Amino acid sequence: MSEKWKNKVALLVFTVPTLLFFTIIVFIPILQTFQKSFFDWDGLSTPIFIGFDNYLRLFDDPDFWVSLKNGLIFAFVLVVYQIGLGTILAIVLSSKAVRGRKWFKTTFFIPVVLSGVMVSQLWIAIYNPEGGLLNSIFAALGMDYQQAWLSGEHTSIWAIAFTNAWQNMGILLVLIYTAIKSIPEHLYEAALIDGSSFWHTHRKITIPLLSETYKFGLIIAITGGLNAFQNMFVMTNGGPGNISYTFTFMMYKAAFRSNEYGYGSAAAAILVIECLLFTILINKFVAREKISY
Amino acid sequence: MKKRRIFLPILLATAMLALSACGAKDDGTSGSAGEASSGNQQVKLKFYAQYSGENTAVYDAAKEEMKKLMPEVDVEFEVAAQDDEQKIKTYAAGGTLPDIFFASSGLIEALKNSDNLYMMDKAVEDNKIEDQLNETSKAMLRHDDGHIYAVPNVGQWSSLIYYNKELFEQNGIKVPANYDEFLEAVKGFSAKGITPLALFAKEKWPGVQLYDMAVVGSEPAGLTKLDGGEGTFSDEAYRQGAEKIAELSKAGLLSKNAFNTTWDDALAQFTSGKAAMVLNGAWAMSDISKAMGDKVDILYTPLADADKVDQVQWNVSGGGFNQGFSVSKNSKNAEVAAKYAALFSIEFAKQRVIHLGDPNPILKENPEPLNGISSLQEKYKQDSANFKTMTTFPWGLVNAKFKTAIEDNVQKLMLDYDTNAFIDTMNKSLELARK
C-alpha cells in the first residue's frame, strides 16, 4: 500500500467513528427536530403537517419573548462573570508574586466538579428570602434590602444565571490561565525593559494574545447561557409563572407538559438557529487572525 | 502490519455494531417478562405505579391479596417517576409501555388518541367491578366516550384548607367561614408575622387549586367547565375568583418563599406554628392528623361570598375523575393484565382503608382500618356524604394545553396581582387550547 493510501485509511479510521457517532447522536436529531417543527404532533399520534404555523404561533406567545430575553440575560451574565472575572483571576494567578496559586486554582475549580443539582440547592438556601445568607448579610450590614431573589420578576433570572456562572467559572479560568502561560516570556521581558506597567503590559500583550481563547470561551458561555435548563428546573421550575423560562424550558413545557412536541420542536429549532448565529458572529468578528509565536 | 490491517476493520465494525445496537427496535413485548397467558402458565407483569412512601405498604398488601385471586400472576413494580409523565410517555412513544400503569386523565386522553390503551370494559364486566363500587365512584369509571380505559383506585378527594385551631385562638382571629372573614384572617396573621397560608407553590398545582376554591363558590363546576370547552375567564365567577386571589396575595397570603416551598417545607411550617393554614387534598389528612392531633381542623369553601356560603358550602373543590390503573394495548398478556388491574384496583382501595384509614374509598364495603381513624378523618367521612358537587385537581384536567397555561398564569397572578392581564392571557390560552 502506498504512503498516500495509508494516510487516507488512517484518516478514515480516526474520523469515521466520531463522525458517525456525532451524526447519529447530534446531527440527525437536529434534522428531525426541524422536520417535526412543521407538524402538529403530540409525540404519540400521527403528525399533521401545518407548515410554519408553529413558528407563527411562537412569535405571538409571551413565553417566547420571556425565554428569548432570559436566554440573553443568562448568556450575558456568563460572559461577564466567567470571562471577565476569569481573566482577572487568571492574570493574578499567573503572577509569580502571588502566594498559594495552586491552592486558589484548585479552590476556584471545585464548584465545576460538583453536581448541578447540589449547587442549585446550595444557592436556593443562600437566596432564601426568610433567613437566607444573602438577605442576612444585607440585614447584618444594616441595610433594609430584603429580596425574594428567586421569585422576583426582575431578580429571578439574574440570580439563577449567577449560580451557573459561579459554578462553571473555573473552566474558563483554567482555559485562560493555560493560555496566559503559553505566551512567550520574552514578550513580557521586552515590555518590562520598555518600562511598561503591570496592567499596561497585560492590556497590550496578554489580552490581545488571548483572543483565540476568548473566541472559544465566548462560544461556550453564550451557547451555554442560551441553552440553560438545569438550574431553573431545580431552582424555580421555570416560575413563578413563566418568569424564569428559557427556550429549553419552553421546549420542555410544550413537549412534556402540554403534549405539543411539534411546537416544542419549533422552540428547539429557534434555539439551534440562535446558537448557530452567535457562533457564526463570534467566528467572524473575534480572533480573525491566527496567532502563532 | 498484517495485525494492524485486521485490527482496524474490527475496530470499525465494533463501533458500528455498538452504534446500530443503540437503535435496535423493541419487538413489542412491552416489558412482559413472562410467558403467554394460556392455561395456568405463570405470567409476569410489569406494573408502573407510585410504589413509594406511604403507598408502598398498600401496594405490597394488595399484591399479597392478589396472589390468592390470581396465583398464576406475578407483578414487578416499577416506581413511577414524578416527572410530568415524561417516562411513561417515552415508553409509549417507544412501544414499550409496562403491562399495567397508573394513568391520569390527561395521560388517558393522550394514550387513547394514540391507540395505546387497552379497553377494559370486558374485564370490568366479567369481574363485576362496577357492582363493588359505590355510587360516586361509578361515575369515575368511564371516559367521555363511554368506555373504560382505567379502573379508579382511590375515591373522590376534596381539596381542603387545614387550619391550626390553637393559632387562631391564641391570636384572637376568627376561623373564616366566608371570603371576607378569610381576608381578615390573612391580614391578621400577616400583621403578626405569621404566614397565613403555607402554599407549596414550588409545585404548580396548589396555586391552581386555590383558584378553583375561589371559583366554586360562584361556579360549582370550577375549572372543569372551562376544561370541558364552556365559558371563558371573563365570566363573572372566574373574574371574581381571580380578583380574590390577587387581593389575598396582596394582603400577604403567602410567604415570600412560597414559590420555592415544597410540601415537606409547608407541612413543617404548619405543624411548627409558623403558618396558620395549609392547602392540600384530603389524602394528606392522615399525615397531618398524626402530626397535629386535635389541634387541626378543615375548611371546604372559605373563599365563597358571605351571602352565598350557605347555599354553596358543599360545592367543594377537588374530586375524583377518570383515572386509575390502565393496561397497555401492546401488552403480550393484555387480557390477563386487564383482569389483574381491575381486581387490583379494588384490593388497593381496601388496603388504603386498612393501612391509611382512607375516609372515603371507592368501595361499597367498609373495611376496618388497622389503627382506627382520627376524629378529623371521621368528620371528613361524615361531611363527604353531603358533598353536592366536586370539580377536579389539575392532573384531572383533560386538556393539557389549558392545564399548563393555568398553572403558570395563576402563579403570575399571585405575583403581580394583575387580574386583567391574567384574564386576557388565559382567554387567549383557552382559545388556543380549544382549537
Side-chain angles (χ1 to χ4, degrees):
Chain A
M1 196 183 277
S2 71
E3 199 63 31
K4 188 181 160 190
W5 277 105
K6 269 188 209 166
N7 283 342
K8 283 195 174 172
V9 169
L11 196 70
L12 280 175
V13 166
F14 285 114
T15 55
V16 165
T18 309
L19 281 175
L20 205 64
F21 192 71
F22 183 81
T23 305
I24 293 169
I25 303 295
V26 179
F27 195 64
I28 292 175
I30 288 177
L31 287 183
Q32 284 180 329
T33 302
F34 274 91
Q35 185 224 350
K36 293 285 186 271
S37 69
F38 297 108
F39 288 85
D40 179 9
W41 187 45
D42 66 1
L44 296 168
S45 310
T46 312
I48 301 163
F49 182 75
I50 53 167
F52 284 92
D53 282 8
N54 281 331
Y55 289 94
L56 295 174
R57 196 182 131 197
L58 265 181
F59 299 120
D60 199 31
D61 189 339
D63 289 352
F64 174 84
W65 298 106
V66 172
S67 302
L68 181 67
K69 187 189 82 182
N70 284 347
L72 294 173
I73 290 175
F74 212 112
F76 173 76
V77 172
L78 294 200
V79 168
V80 171
Y81 189 86
Q82 295 185 343
I83 297 182
L85 189 65
T87 302
I88 294 168
L89 288 173
I91 288 173
V92 171
L93 292 176
S94 64
S95 165
K96 285 174 185 158
V98 176
R99 281 183 152 194
R101 284 178 296 154
K102 202 172 174 185
W103 183 84
F104 278 115
K105 269 187 289 171
T106 312
T107 306
F108 285 126
F109 200 77
I110 284 174
V112 176
V113 297
L114 297 178
S115 117
V117 174
M118 201 176 109
V119 169
S120 298
Q121 291 294 351
L122 169 76
W123 281 90
I124 286 174
I126 292 172
Y127 289 136
N128 190 331
E130 290 158 341
L133 181 67
L134 200 53
N135 277 354
S136 300
I137 289 173
F138 284 119
L141 293 171
M143 294 164 76
D144 194 22
Y145 189 68
Q146 299 292 299
Q147 292 290 319
W149 298 98
L150 292 172
S151 308
E153 199 158 359
H154 304 295
T155 54
S156 181
I157 192 66
W158 295 90
I160 299 168
F162 183 79
T163 303
N164 188 297
W166 175 84
Q167 185 185 5
N168 296 311
M169 193 268 285
I171 297 173
L172 265 296
L173 169 65
V174 168
L175 282 173
I176 296 167
Y177 176 83
T178 313
I180 291 174
K181 283 292 169 192
S182 69
I183 296 172
E185 198 64 26
H186 65 82
L187 296 176
Y188 292 108
E189 284 164 5
L192 193 67
I193 291 164
D194 289 345
S196 175
S197 70
F198 177 81
W199 288 116
H200 193 73
T201 305
H202 286 298
R203 197 159 61 83
K204 293 292 181 188
I205 297 174
T206 311
I207 292 173
L209 292 177
L210 286 176
S211 57
E212 283 188 6
T213 309
Y214 283 147
K215 182 200 267 189
F216 178 69
L218 276 171
I219 290 172
I220 59 167
I222 290 177
T223 56
L226 298 173
N227 273 318
F229 176 78
Q230 188 188 30
N231 295 102
M232 43 275 288
F233 187 72
V234 177
M235 297 175 82
T236 61
N237 200 12
N242 64 355
I243 67 167
S244 52
Y245 269 34
T246 53
F247 276 133
T248 41
F249 207 92
M250 189 181 172
M251 186 177 82
Y252 170 82
K253 173 194 165 185
F256 296 109
R257 288 171 57 206
S258 303
N259 294 343
E260 294 184 283
Y261 278 75
Y263 189 56
S265 297
I270 294 285
L271 178 65
V272 171
I273 292 167
E274 194 186 16
C275 288
L276 277 176
L277 193 71
F278 273 102
T279 308
I280 290 166
L281 287 174
I282 292 165
N283 275 317
K284 193 168 169 61
F285 294 109
V286 180
R288 284 190 288 183
E289 287 170 22
K290 190 153 177 65
I291 296 164
S292 54
Y293 303 116
Chain B
M1 188 67 208
K2 216 175 191 181
K3 267 187 188 170
R4 241 182 277 166
R5 265 189 218 160
I6 298 165
F7 174 71
L8 291 175
I10 290 173
L11 184 74
L12 270 176
T14 313
M16 284 180 74
L17 193 69
L19 290 171
S20 58
C22 294
K25 198 176 183 300
D26 188 87
D27 60 2
T29 55
S30 84
S32 297
E35 295 163 30
S37 62
S38 59
N40 280 329
Q41 276 181 316
Q42 282 294 313
V43 176
K44 196 165 185 180
L45 301 174
K46 218 171 211 183
F47 197 147
Y48 183 83
Q50 288 176 330
Y51 182 68
S52 58
E54 61 175 20
N55 275 324
T56 311
V58 178
Y59 274 104
D60 285 339
K63 184 179 167 180
E64 281 307 307
E65 288 301 312
M66 284 301 295
K67 280 182 184 166
K68 297 173 194 162
L69 298 171
M70 294 180 77
E72 74 280 14
V73 177
D74 183 24
V75 291
E76 185 193 343
F77 291 119
E78 181 183 346
V79 181
Q82 301 288 314
D83 61 350
D84 290 321
E85 297 169 340
Q86 276 182 67
K87 193 172 177 181
I88 195 78
K89 284 177 192 166
T90 309
Y91 277 146
T96 55
L97 272 174
D99 302 286
I100 306 171
F101 52 94
F102 178 80
S104 66
S105 302
L107 187 64
I108 290 173
E109 192 67 18
L111 297 184
K112 183 180 85 74
N113 292 340
S114 56
D115 201 24
N116 274 296
L117 283 185
Y118 183 79
M119 210 182 274
M120 297 174 71
D121 299 33
K122 192 170 178 301
V124 169
E125 196 188 331
D126 290 351
N127 295 289
K128 301 188 176 9
I129 300 296
E130 204 162 355
D131 297 344
Q132 300 176 63
L133 300 176
N134 56 31
E135 283 309 309
T136 50
S137 303
K138 280 180 188 172
M140 293 155 55
L141 194 58
R142 286 187 169 74
H143 187 264
D144 293 344
D145 67 5
H147 292 293
I148 299 165
Y149 299 99
V151 180
N153 57 342
V154 289
Q156 304 216 35
W157 299 116
S158 149
S159 172
L160 298 167
I161 287 182
Y162 298 86
Y163 69 95
N164 184 331
K165 288 194 278 188
E166 268 186 14
L167 217 52
F168 273 83
E169 267 172 37
Q170 284 163 6
N171 290 282
I173 292 171
K174 188 176 183 296
V175 175
N178 57 55
Y179 175 71
D180 294 335
E181 289 175 7
F182 194 88
L183 182 61
E184 282 312 305
V186 166
K187 286 176 181 169
F189 281 118
S190 198
K192 287 171 191 279
I194 296 166
T195 302
L197 179 76
L199 193 76
F200 51 114
K202 186 148 194 182
E203 292 183 39
K204 297 205 173 190
W205 74 264
V208 180
Q209 208 60 49
L210 188 66
Y211 176 63
D212 190 64
M213 290 181 94
V215 171
V216 286
S218 310
E219 171 50 70
L223 290 172
T224 53
K225 184 177 168 185
L226 299 173
D227 187 45
E230 284 179 66
T232 70
F233 280 85
S234 305
D235 297 352
E236 190 54 27
Y238 300 100
R239 173 176 288 279
Q240 219 180 52
E243 282 164 358
K244 285 176 183 174
I245 295 297
E247 191 175 27
L248 289 170
S249 303
K250 210 172 178 178
L253 175 72
L254 309 175
S255 76
K256 278 184 183 170
N257 202 34
F259 298 106
N260 273 300
T261 301
T262 62
W263 166 242
D264 289 339
D265 299 334
L267 185 64
Q269 285 173 34
F270 182 60
T271 53
S272 64
K274 286 180 183 162
M277 298 176 276
V278 71
L279 180 147
N280 207 337
W283 59 81
M285 204 174 286
S286 171
D287 282 349
I288 294 176
S289 293
K290 264 182 216 158
M292 304 276 285
D294 288 337
K295 282 200 298 184
V296 66
D297 206 345
I298 47 178
L299 300 168
Y300 295 100
T301 48
L303 303 183
D305 292 333
D307 57 339
K308 291 182 197 156
V309 79
D310 289 339
Q311 300 113 60
V312 300
Q313 66 165 322
W314 298 119
N315 294 344
V316 298
S317 174
F321 24 84
N322 181 223
Q323 65 167 23
F325 296 128
S326 292
V327 170
S328 164
K329 197 175 184 179
N330 300 319
S331 169
K332 257 177 147 183
N333 304 302
E335 208 176 312
V336 179
K339 182 181 174 186
Y340 192 90
L343 292 170
F344 191 91
S345 301
I346 302 294
E347 282 306 324
F348 183 88
K350 277 184 203 167
Q351 298 303 330
R352 279 227 23 137
V353 179
I354 293 167
H355 285 83
L356 304 176
D358 262 8
N360 63 330
I362 55 174
L363 307 170
K364 274 183 187 165
E365 71 166 293
N366 281 315
E368 273 300 309
L370 274 175
N371 302 314
I373 58 173
S374 66
S375 55
L376 190 64
Q377 284 173 313
E378 183 57 46
K379 178 189 172 179
Y380 179 76
K381 192 176 177 179
Q382 285 169 18
D383 287 346
S384 61
N386 299 319
F387 292 170
K388 273 203 295 194
T389 59
M390 296 193 93
T391 60
T392 186
F393 287 97
W395 53 93
L397 296 170
V398 177
N399 191 321
K401 291 178 206 171
F402 171 62
K403 176 180 168 276
T404 50
I406 185 80
E407 282 177 342
D408 279 354
N409 284 295
V410 166
Q411 284 203 337
K412 277 203 89 178
L413 177 66
M414 289 170 161
L415 197 67
D416 62 18
Y417 328 129
D418 190 342
T419 311
N420 290 330
F422 170 78
I423 291 168
D424 288 347
T425 314
M426 277 316 301
N427 277 341
K428 275 186 198 164
S429 302
L430 203 56
E431 206 181 309
L432 198 70
R434 285 175 181 171
K435 265 186 187 170

PDB file of all heavy atoms in Angstrom, chain A residues 2-21:
ATOM      1  N   SER A   2       0.532   2.200  -0.871  1.00  0.00           N
ATOM      2  CA  SER A   2       1.377   3.390  -0.956  1.00  0.00           C
ATOM      3  C   SER A   2       1.177   4.269   0.287  1.00  0.00           C
ATOM      4  O   SER A   2       0.165   4.140   1.004  1.00  0.00           O
ATOM      5  CB  SER A   2       1.011   4.191  -2.201  1.00  0.00           C
ATOM      6  OG  SER A   2      -0.248   4.775  -2.003  1.00  0.00           O
ATOM      7  N   GLU A   3       2.128   5.157   0.471  1.00  0.00           N
ATOM      8  CA  GLU A   3       2.082   6.055   1.635  1.00  0.00           C
ATOM      9  C   GLU A   3       0.810   6.921   1.618  1.00  0.00           C
ATOM     10  O   GLU A   3       0.169   7.174   2.640  1.00  0.00           O
ATOM     11  CB  GLU A   3       3.333   6.951   1.591  1.00  0.00           C
ATOM     12  CG  GLU A   3       3.681   7.612   2.924  1.00  0.00           C
ATOM     13  CD  GLU A   3       4.031   6.616   4.017  1.00  0.00           C
ATOM     14  OE1 GLU A   3       4.582   5.519   3.710  1.00  0.00           O
ATOM     15  OE2 GLU A   3       3.700   6.906   5.169  1.00  0.00           O
ATOM     16  N   LYS A   4       0.433   7.328   0.384  1.00  0.00           N
ATOM     17  CA  LYS A   4      -0.740   8.185   0.201  1.00  0.00           C
ATOM     18  C   LYS A   4      -2.005   7.484   0.704  1.00  0.00           C
ATOM     19  O   LYS A   4      -2.835   8.048   1.407  1.00  0.00           O
ATOM     20  CB  LYS A   4      -0.850   8.516  -1.296  1.00  0.00           C
ATOM     21  CG  LYS A   4      -1.896   9.530  -1.641  1.00  0.00           C
ATOM     22  CD  LYS A   4      -1.908   9.729  -3.139  1.00  0.00           C
ATOM     23  CE  LYS A   4      -3.219  10.339  -3.565  1.00  0.00           C
ATOM     24  NZ  LYS A   4      -3.348  10.327  -5.012  1.00  0.00           N
ATOM     25  N   TRP A   5      -2.140   6.180   0.318  1.00  0.00           N
ATOM     26  CA  TRP A   5      -3.328   5.428   0.720  1.00  0.00           C
ATOM     27  C   TRP A   5      -3.333   5.125   2.207  1.00  0.00           C
ATOM     28  O   TRP A   5      -4.380   5.143   2.848  1.00  0.00           O
ATOM     29  CB  TRP A   5      -3.448   4.128  -0.089  1.00  0.00           C
ATOM     30  CG  TRP A   5      -4.085   4.404  -1.397  1.00  0.00           C
ATOM     31  CD1 TRP A   5      -3.479   4.457  -2.619  1.00  0.00           C
ATOM     32  CD2 TRP A   5      -5.465   4.709  -1.612  1.00  0.00           C
ATOM     33  NE1 TRP A   5      -4.375   4.789  -3.584  1.00  0.00           N
ATOM     34  CE2 TRP A   5      -5.617   4.952  -2.992  1.00  0.00           C
ATOM     35  CE3 TRP A   5      -6.578   4.833  -0.776  1.00  0.00           C
ATOM     36  CZ2 TRP A   5      -6.832   5.271  -3.563  1.00  0.00           C
ATOM     37  CZ3 TRP A   5      -7.782   5.150  -1.327  1.00  0.00           C
ATOM     38  CH2 TRP A   5      -7.911   5.372  -2.719  1.00  0.00           C
ATOM     39  N   LYS A   6      -2.142   4.840   2.730  1.00  0.00           N
ATOM     40  CA  LYS A   6      -2.036   4.567   4.178  1.00  0.00           C
ATOM     41  C   LYS A   6      -2.554   5.755   4.974  1.00  0.00           C
ATOM     42  O   LYS A   6      -3.287   5.606   5.932  1.00  0.00           O
ATOM     43  CB  LYS A   6      -0.563   4.314   4.543  1.00  0.00           C
ATOM     44  CG  LYS A   6      -0.156   2.867   4.465  1.00  0.00           C
ATOM     45  CD  LYS A   6       1.240   2.759   5.033  1.00  0.00           C
ATOM     46  CE  LYS A   6       1.972   1.610   4.384  1.00  0.00           C
ATOM     47  NZ  LYS A   6       3.412   1.677   4.655  1.00  0.00           N
ATOM     48  N   ASN A   7      -2.171   6.958   4.546  1.00  0.00           N
ATOM     49  CA  ASN A   7      -2.620   8.164   5.245  1.00  0.00           C
ATOM     50  C   ASN A   7      -4.140   8.307   5.179  1.00  0.00           C
ATOM     51  O   ASN A   7      -4.786   8.693   6.139  1.00  0.00           O
ATOM     52  CB  ASN A   7      -1.977   9.408   4.612  1.00  0.00           C
ATOM     53  CG  ASN A   7      -0.543   9.539   5.051  1.00  0.00           C
ATOM     54  OD1 ASN A   7      -0.155   8.930   6.047  1.00  0.00           O
ATOM     55  ND2 ASN A   7       0.245  10.274   4.290  1.00  0.00           N
ATOM     56  N   LYS A   8      -4.691   7.994   4.007  1.00  0.00           N
ATOM     57  CA  LYS A   8      -6.153   8.133   3.854  1.00  0.00           C
ATOM     58  C   LYS A   8      -6.895   7.141   4.730  1.00  0.00           C
ATOM     59  O   LYS A   8      -7.924   7.467   5.333  1.00  0.00           O
ATOM     60  CB  LYS A   8      -6.541   7.946   2.375  1.00  0.00           C
ATOM     61  CG  LYS A   8      -6.216   9.173   1.556  1.00  0.00           C
ATOM     62  CD  LYS A   8      -6.888   9.160   0.231  1.00  0.00           C
ATOM     63  CE  LYS A   8      -6.642  10.496  -0.472  1.00  0.00           C
ATOM     64  NZ  LYS A   8      -7.105  10.472  -1.828  1.00  0.00           N
ATOM     65  N   VAL A   9      -6.366   5.912   4.798  1.00  0.00           N
ATOM     66  CA  VAL A   9      -7.008   4.892   5.642  1.00  0.00           C
ATOM     67  C   VAL A   9      -6.945   5.321   7.103  1.00  0.00           C
ATOM     68  O   VAL A   9      -7.937   5.261   7.837  1.00  0.00           O
ATOM     69  CB  VAL A   9      -6.345   3.505   5.437  1.00  0.00           C
ATOM     70  CG1 VAL A   9      -6.821   2.520   6.492  1.00  0.00           C
ATOM     71  CG2 VAL A   9      -6.625   2.974   4.047  1.00  0.00           C
ATOM     72  N   ALA A  10      -5.770   5.800   7.503  1.00  0.00           N
ATOM     73  CA  ALA A  10      -5.618   6.250   8.901  1.00  0.00           C
ATOM     74  C   ALA A  10      -6.579   7.390   9.197  1.00  0.00           C
ATOM     75  O   ALA A  10      -7.237   7.419  10.243  1.00  0.00           O
ATOM     76  CB  ALA A  10      -4.180   6.686   9.130  1.00  0.00           C
ATOM     77  N   LEU A  11      -6.686   8.295   8.233  1.00  0.00           N
ATOM     78  CA  LEU A  11      -7.595   9.432   8.391  1.00  0.00           C
ATOM     79  C   LEU A  11      -9.039   8.952   8.591  1.00  0.00           C
ATOM     80  O   LEU A  11      -9.767   9.407   9.486  1.00  0.00           O
ATOM     81  CB  LEU A  11      -7.509  10.307   7.139  1.00  0.00           C
ATOM     82  CG  LEU A  11      -8.072  11.710   7.250  1.00  0.00           C
ATOM     83  CD1 LEU A  11      -7.188  12.563   8.138  1.00  0.00           C
ATOM     84  CD2 LEU A  11      -8.205  12.337   5.874  1.00  0.00           C
ATOM     85  N   LEU A  12      -9.424   8.003   7.770  1.00  0.00           N
ATOM     86  CA  LEU A  12     -10.788   7.465   7.863  1.00  0.00           C
ATOM     87  C   LEU A  12     -11.022   6.766   9.193  1.00  0.00           C
ATOM     88  O   LEU A  12     -12.046   6.960   9.852  1.00  0.00           O
ATOM     89  CB  LEU A  12     -11.048   6.469   6.719  1.00  0.00           C
ATOM     90  CG  LEU A  12     -11.382   7.077   5.368  1.00  0.00           C
ATOM     91  CD1 LEU A  12     -11.489   5.987   4.316  1.00  0.00           C
ATOM     92  CD2 LEU A  12     -12.703   7.834   5.460  1.00  0.00           C
ATOM     93  N   VAL A  13     -10.045   5.951   9.582  1.00  0.00           N
ATOM     94  CA  VAL A  13     -10.210   5.181  10.818  1.00  0.00           C
ATOM     95  C   VAL A  13     -10.377   6.106  12.019  1.00  0.00           C
ATOM     96  O   VAL A  13     -11.183   5.852  12.908  1.00  0.00           O
ATOM     97  CB  VAL A  13      -8.996   4.236  11.011  1.00  0.00           C
ATOM     98  CG1 VAL A  13      -8.961   3.684  12.433  1.00  0.00           C
ATOM     99  CG2 VAL A  13      -9.050   3.108  10.013  1.00  0.00           C
ATOM    100  N   PHE A  14      -9.632   7.191  12.007  1.00  0.00           N
ATOM    101  CA  PHE A  14      -9.722   8.081  13.164  1.00  0.00           C
ATOM    102  C   PHE A  14     -10.931   9.014  13.125  1.00  0.00           C
ATOM    103  O   PHE A  14     -11.402   9.454  14.151  1.00  0.00           O
ATOM    104  CB  PHE A  14      -8.431   8.902  13.297  1.00  0.00           C
ATOM    105  CG  PHE A  14      -7.297   8.081  13.836  1.00  0.00           C
ATOM    106  CD1 PHE A  14      -6.191   7.797  13.060  1.00  0.00           C
ATOM    107  CD2 PHE A  14      -7.354   7.560  15.119  1.00  0.00           C
ATOM    108  CE1 PHE A  14      -5.155   7.026  13.549  1.00  0.00           C
ATOM    109  CE2 PHE A  14      -6.322   6.781  15.615  1.00  0.00           C
ATOM    110  CZ  PHE A  14      -5.219   6.502  14.838  1.00  0.00           C
ATOM    111  N   THR A  15     -11.418   9.319  11.955  1.00  0.00           N
ATOM    112  CA  THR A  15     -12.515  10.295  11.900  1.00  0.00           C
ATOM    113  C   THR A  15     -13.900   9.664  11.742  1.00  0.00           C
ATOM    114  O   THR A  15     -14.873  10.169  12.295  1.00  0.00           O
ATOM    115  CB  THR A  15     -12.320  11.282  10.731  1.00  0.00           C
ATOM    116  OG1 THR A  15     -12.172  10.533   9.527  1.00  0.00           O
ATOM    117  CG2 THR A  15     -11.131  12.176  10.942  1.00  0.00           C
ATOM    118  N   VAL A  16     -13.993   8.557  11.022  1.00  0.00           N
ATOM    119  CA  VAL A  16     -15.319   7.998  10.719  1.00  0.00           C
ATOM    120  C   VAL A  16     -16.121   7.631  11.983  1.00  0.00           C
ATOM    121  O   VAL A  16     -17.290   8.026  12.091  1.00  0.00           O
ATOM    122  CB  VAL A  16     -15.208   6.813   9.738  1.00  0.00           C
ATOM    123  CG1 VAL A  16     -16.497   6.001   9.695  1.00  0.00           C
ATOM    124  CG2 VAL A  16     -14.880   7.335   8.353  1.00  0.00           C
ATOM    125  N   PRO A  17     -15.522   6.907  12.956  1.00  0.00           N
ATOM    126  CA  PRO A  17     -16.349   6.576  14.131  1.00  0.00           C
ATOM    127  C   PRO A  17     -16.912   7.807  14.824  1.00  0.00           C
ATOM    128  O   PRO A  17     -18.078   7.854  15.180  1.00  0.00           O
ATOM    129  CB  PRO A  17     -15.370   5.830  15.052  1.00  0.00           C
ATOM    130  CG  PRO A  17     -14.321   5.315  14.150  1.00  0.00           C
ATOM    131  CD  PRO A  17     -14.173   6.318  13.054  1.00  0.00           C
ATOM    132  N   THR A  18     -16.055   8.823  14.962  1.00  0.00           N
ATOM    133  CA  THR A  18     -16.514  10.042  15.638  1.00  0.00           C
ATOM    134  C   THR A  18     -17.601  10.742  14.819  1.00  0.00           C
ATOM    135  O   THR A  18     -18.624  11.171  15.360  1.00  0.00           O
ATOM    136  CB  THR A  18     -15.327  11.011  15.856  1.00  0.00           C
ATOM    137  OG1 THR A  18     -14.290  10.265  16.472  1.00  0.00           O
ATOM    138  CG2 THR A  18     -15.711  12.177  16.712  1.00  0.00           C
ATOM    139  N   LEU A  19     -17.353  10.835  13.509  1.00  0.00           N
ATOM    140  CA  LEU A  19     -18.344  11.493  12.657  1.00  0.00           C
ATOM    141  C   LEU A  19     -19.670  10.740  12.665  1.00  0.00           C
ATOM    142  O   LEU A  19     -20.750  11.328  12.723  1.00  0.00           O
ATOM    143  CB  LEU A  19     -17.825  11.594  11.216  1.00  0.00           C
ATOM    144  CG  LEU A  19     -16.819  12.722  10.969  1.00  0.00           C
ATOM    145  CD1 LEU A  19     -16.285  12.665   9.550  1.00  0.00           C
ATOM    146  CD2 LEU A  19     -17.470  14.081  11.230  1.00  0.00           C
ATOM    147  N   LEU A  20     -19.537   9.422  12.637  1.00  0.00           N
ATOM    148  CA  LEU A  20     -20.736   8.578  12.652  1.00  0.00           C
ATOM    149  C   LEU A  20     -21.512   8.788  13.954  1.00  0.00           C
ATOM    150  O   LEU A  20     -22.727   8.981  13.964  1.00  0.00           O
ATOM    151  CB  LEU A  20     -20.296   7.112  12.536  1.00  0.00           C
ATOM    152  CG  LEU A  20     -21.284   6.129  11.965  1.00  0.00           C
ATOM    153  CD1 LEU A  20     -21.591   6.461  10.524  1.00  0.00           C
ATOM    154  CD2 LEU A  20     -20.719   4.714  12.070  1.00  0.00           C
ATOM    155  N   PHE A  21     -20.763   8.779  15.036  1.00  0.00           N
ATOM    156  CA  PHE A  21     -21.366   8.965  16.365  1.00  0.00           C
ATOM    157  C   PHE A  21     -22.034  10.340  16.457  1.00  0.00           C
ATOM    158  O   PHE A  21     -23.177  10.465  16.882  1.00  0.00           O
ATOM    159  CB  PHE A  21     -20.254   8.831  17.420  1.00  0.00           C
ATOM    160  CG  PHE A  21     -20.775   8.707  18.813  1.00  0.00           C
ATOM    161  CD1 PHE A  21     -21.415   7.548  19.227  1.00  0.00           C
ATOM    162  CD2 PHE A  21     -20.631   9.742  19.721  1.00  0.00           C
ATOM    163  CE1 PHE A  21     -21.896   7.427  20.518  1.00  0.00           C
ATOM    164  CE2 PHE A  21     -21.114   9.635  21.014  1.00  0.00           C
ATOM    165  CZ  PHE A  21     -21.741   8.465  21.402  1.00  0.00           C
TER     166      PHE A  21
END
